[in-house]
Amino acid sequence: PSMLGILGGGQLGRMFAVAAKTMGYRVTVLDPDSNAPAAQFADVHLCAPFNDAAALKTLAQTCAAVTTEFENVNADAMRELARTTRVSPSGDCVAIAQDRIAEKAWINKAGLPTAPYLAIESVEDIQVDLTPYLPGILKTARLGYDGKGQVRVSTPDEARAAYANLGGQACVLEKMLDLKLEVSAIVTRVSAAQMAVFPVAENSHKNGILDVSIVPARIAPALAASAQQMAQSLAEALDYVGVLAVEFFVLADDSLVVNEIAPRPHNSGHYTLTACLTDQFQQQVRAMCGLLPGRTDLLSPVVMVNLLGDVWKEDGREPNWDVLAEAPNAQLHLYGKKQARPGRKMGHFNVMAATADEALEQAEALKDTL
Ligand code: ATP
Ligand code: MG
Ligand code: MG
């Protein structure tokens, strides 16, 4: 069977490896961590830095196709791999998603709205009238996730001080919008003719980290269809190959604004593991191999609850999983991480029920008893 390669061995790499192995492929994971969650499921674990020339050469020479699971992978390494083997998404698309300035410019170029923002590449860029972006959020252009690298600011002085505090690195100052809801749409694109989009998830965050996804999102069907359409047009504009997640804000007037994209399966798509005809990791395998995307039909309303290290006991003991085992409509997924830390994504569980509201009620009750 063909070997598939993945840059990154976190939980997304782990779920990718499970899908790929189930579908009959072999898997090589590149990750410097000997305890990487994906390593247990890999045929080959290249335990080396992401820029290790020998490891990249091995990937290029032994893999029929290579993908990535983490956003901060070196885009140049992906471009280099693409000279020898099939790489998706492309290094170019990954580079866009890694830089909020390029990302927002591309979203606007595709004809889609973002929050009003100011790109700040150097200190001169912030010496303008900032009032259109205030109150706002200053976000580092690179390397931010789970709300890290973000500062809320209300006045021009605060914004300039926060920029200086971030060491003068490239940032965007984004106007704080009044959000009614947040939703995401995940699209799988192999070519213009071969695209499939998952049902829209409604996402709620706690402390900047995804907490719960509710599917179908409790929004008008036309609005959900419009989010799916926008995700597809963005994938098209980027000539994207692979799984692309698009996060949206829903504003008070029911308009949609694109927040950001992720060039990979997404935490808000973990519900697909239980509740869709094809899951997002199977789609990643299909897209990287140039196969048709699978059908994305939702089999049941579903709620996904993230399990952060915070639910582990003080002494490091695991939560009481029995309550989940005893719920026949719940599925637990653990990522095999040894150390639980506050804010660290350790696993998730999906709850299926007749309606999204019912699934949410049960999911919350289950979480409370852990
Ligand atoms: P992720 O882990 O999803 O990559 P991130 O660190 O890249 O997160 P964002 O998605 O930019 O961060 O923002 C995190 C959260 O902060 C959003 O989901 C939203 O709840 C809130 N937020 C971000 N930007 C805005 C905004 N312009 N107006 C209102 N709320 C915002
Ligand atoms: Mg992000
Ligand atoms: Mg986000």
Side-chain angles (χ1 to χ4, degrees):
S2 305
M3 181 72 87
L4 302 182
I6 185 160
L7 299 165
Q11 64 267 20
L12 300 174
R14 177 183 174 100
M15 291 181 266
F16 164 83
V18 171
K21 300 274 301 169
T22 305
M23 292 163 79
Y25 296 91
R26 303 177 72 231
V27 175
T28 298
V29 170
L30 172 58
D31 193 296
D33 179 0
S34 59
N35 290 320
Q40 298 164 28
F41 290 94
D43 295 280
V44 179
H45 177 198
L46 300 169
C47 192
F50 290 114
N51 59 1
D52 185 84
L56 290 168
K57 194 169 167 205
T58 304
L59 273 177
Q61 290 176 345
T62 60
C63 295
V66 176
T67 188
T68 170
E69 66 111 41
F70 89 125
E71 254 161 287
N72 296 315
V73 60
N74 184 331
D76 282 333
M78 294 183 68
R79 293 186 184 105
E80 179 61 30
L81 284 170
R83 290 152 49 95
T84 311
T85 186
R86 192 185 162 94
V87 175
S88 64
S90 68
D92 290 354
C93 285
V94 167
I96 291 166
Q98 283 174 347
D99 177 354
R100 290 190 199 275
I101 296 176
E103 179 184 37
K104 288 182 193 300
W106 267 92
I107 293 165
N108 291 156
K109 203 173 126 189
L112 306 177
T114 53
Y117 74 96
L118 175 72
I120 308 167
E121 277 165 305
S122 70
V123 70
E124 289 82 62
D125 295 333
I126 204 166
Q127 307 311 320
V128 296
D129 177 18
L130 300 180
T131 49
Y133 317 103
L134 294 172
I137 309 182
L138 188 72
K139 301 181 179 179
T140 59
R142 306 184 70 84
L143 300 176
Y145 69 97
D146 288 347
K148 295 183 174 73
Q150 303 194 3
V151 191
R152 301 197 170 199
V153 292
S154 330
T155 65
D157 284 349
E158 262 177 47
R160 292 187 183 109
Y163 173 72
N165 247 325
L166 288 170
Q169 60 182 305
C171 288
V172 297
L173 175 60
E174 201 177 302
K175 187 169 175 61
M176 178 77 87
L177 302 176
D178 194 9
L179 311 186
K180 185 161 148 189
L181 278 181
E182 293 188 64
V183 299
S184 57
I186 298 174
V187 56
T188 309
R189 183 178 182 277
V190 177
S191 68
Q194 299 174 328
M195 262 206 264
V197 59
F198 284 111
V200 172
E202 172 186 338
N203 302 319
S204 79
H205 298 82
K206 251 187 209 150
N207 305 319
I209 306 176
L210 182 67
D211 180 32
V212 170
S213 293
I214 302 159
V215 189
R218 296 166 300 173
I219 55 176
L223 191 61
S226 155
Q228 290 178 313
Q229 188 52 52
M230 286 164 78
Q232 292 183 91
S233 51
L234 198 49
E236 196 57 43
L238 292 165
D239 194 18
Y240 192 88
V241 177
V243 175
L244 176 72
V246 184
E247 295 179 11
F248 297 90
F249 299 142
V250 181
L251 306 186
D253 63 356
D254 272 347
S255 60
L256 287 166
V257 166
V258 179
N259 172 24
E260 61 169 352
I261 61 173
R264 49 169 173 77
H266 193 251
N267 194 167
S268 70
H270 292 350
Y271 78 87
T272 65
L273 287 164
T274 307
C276 286
L277 217 50
T278 310
D279 71 54
Q280 61 171 350
F281 300 99
Q282 294 168 335
Q283 295 291 50
Q284 187 176 22
V285 173
R286 285 170 163 272
M288 74 190 288
C289 296
L291 306 174
L292 262 183
R295 278 177 53 172
T296 54
D297 311 38
L298 187 68
L299 302 174
S300 163
V302 58
V303 164
M304 187 238 33
V305 178
N306 259 347
L307 294 167
L308 304 183
D310 312 56
V311 297
W312 265 238
K313 314 289 178 213
E314 296 271 319
D315 59 8
R317 269 184 309 122
E318 294 195 11
N320 176 16
W321 303 128
D322 293 352
V323 295
L324 288 175
E326 283 158 16
N329 57 337
Q331 284 189 4
L332 174 64
H333 294 248
L334 291 175
Y335 305 151
K337 296 183 184 178
K338 301 228 159 53
Q339 284 293 326
R341 285 192 300 272
R344 188 172 200 209
K345 290 175 179 170
M346 301 297 289
H348 68 268
F349 66 91
N350 290 338
V351 176
M352 305 216 282
T355 65
D357 283 321
E358 210 177 297
L360 181 60
E361 201 177 302
Q362 292 185 24
E364 281 172 345
L366 284 167
K367 190 176 179 190
D368 286 344
T369 56
L370 288 176

